Amino acid sequence: MPIQSHTVSFSPDGKSVRVRPGTTLLAAARSAGVRIPVRCEGRMGCLMCKVTVESEGAGVSPPAEAERRKLGTSLESGIRLACQAKVCGETSVVTPEDPLKRAVRLQLERQKDEEDDFWA
Ligand code: FES
């Protein structure tokens, strides 16, 4: 019998990885080389591992009561704790962008817009 696995895609990094069901999104991210900074290593103490699961949370386990209490209404926006949400199907996840990378990306976009305006 083949070993079952599911693809987890991460944006904005554009990376993906195949993992076994039950793997946390945090572990999947690390396998894919996607950095999610954390302090508590999955003890639900830091809440730094918040990610957005696209398609209304498709492909991840429903939140347990403890995660529900920590996230409250954020759950309705697809926010999950990567250390708690477990892969159970194909899924796409948006991770928070590193502030420095974001600043560089925005600067490059501004420069491109200015160049496009200059040559138009
Ligand atoms: S790693 Fe700290 S809450 Fe998820």
Side-chain angles (χ1 to χ4, degrees):
M1 187 169 142
I3 298 172
Q4 190 181 12
S5 63
H6 302 294
T7 301
V8 183
S9 304
F10 294 94
S11 59
D13 294 79
K15 295 180 177 175
S16 62
V17 66
R18 289 191 68 81
V19 296
R20 291 184 179 193
T23 304
T24 65
L25 291 178
L26 184 59
R30 287 176 173 167
S31 295
V34 174
R35 186 171 178 275
I36 299 175
V38 298
R39 288 212 181 111
C40 77
E41 287 302 324
R43 292 186 300 273
M44 277 199 286
C46 70
L47 305 184
M48 292 174 66
C49 64
K50 289 179 185 175
V51 296
T52 303
V53 179
E54 295 184 331
S55 304
E56 298 175 8
V60 298
S61 60
E65 186 54 36
E67 187 183 3
R68 281 187 188 283
R69 268 188 269 117
K70 292 280 184 182
L71 291 176
T73 55
S74 300
L75 278 167
E76 294 161 19
S77 318
I79 306 287
R80 295 293 305 271
L81 294 176
C83 67
Q84 301 301 309
K86 294 183 173 74
V87 176
C88 61
E90 308 289 308
T91 190
S92 297
V93 176
V94 179
T95 59
E97 195 171 21
D98 176 81
L100 181 58
K101 279 186 182 175
R102 182 175 190 277
V104 170
R105 181 178 56 77
L106 291 174
Q107 179 64 32
L108 290 172
E109 285 174 5
R110 267 194 300 275
Q111 282 177 343
K112 185 178 180 322
D113 287 348
E114 287 170 12
E115 286 172 14
D116 289 349
D117 289 346
F118 181 79
W119 293 107

